[in-house]
């Protein structure tokens, strides 16, 4: 699944949020955050951050910083 998402990202369509979801599910937090940061730079729909799949990333300072940059921090 991850390979397919990455392959599709190379054809002019970014799937960074989907890739981040997979990495979060695999508990690969560094890779998930790198994909979320890439998604942010590509101006993704930030509502994806509310998905339960990202719950494990919420305490991470990088996730908190991303939420703050978007204007979604508490």
């Amino acid at each position: 699944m991850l390979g397919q998402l990455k392959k599709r990202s190379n054809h002019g369509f970014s799937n960074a949020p989907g890739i981040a979801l997979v990495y979060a599910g695999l508990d690969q937090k560094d890779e998930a955050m790198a994909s979320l940061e890439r998604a942010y730079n590509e101006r993704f729909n930030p509502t994806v951050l509310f998905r339960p799949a990202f719950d494990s990333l919420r305490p991470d300072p990088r996730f908190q910083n991303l939420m703050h940059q978007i204007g979604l921090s508490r």
Side-chain angles (χ1 to χ4, degrees):
M1 178 188 248
L2 187 57
Q4 288 293 331
L5 290 171
K6 286 182 175 183
K7 185 176 178 180
R8 289 182 192 164
S9 290
N10 294 332
H11 296 288
F13 172 75
S14 172
N15 207 2
I19 293 169
L21 281 167
V22 173
Y23 277 130
L26 295 171
D27 200 33
Q28 295 182 9
K29 294 177 182 177
D30 290 335
E31 292 84 354
M33 287 306 308
S35 292
L36 285 175
E37 290 166 6
R38 187 169 35 260
Y40 172 75
N41 290 328
E42 295 168 354
R43 301 182 188 258
F44 75 123
N45 181 344
T47 61
V48 70
L49 298 175
F50 294 116
R51 292 186 179 177
F54 292 123
D55 285 351
S56 66
L57 297 177
R58 294 191 199 294
D60 190 305
R62 297 170 295 178
F63 190 87
Q64 293 298 317
N65 184 49
L66 181 61
M67 295 287 283
H68 180 73
Q69 286 177 310
I70 295 169
L72 298 174
S73 61
R74 296 179 196 178

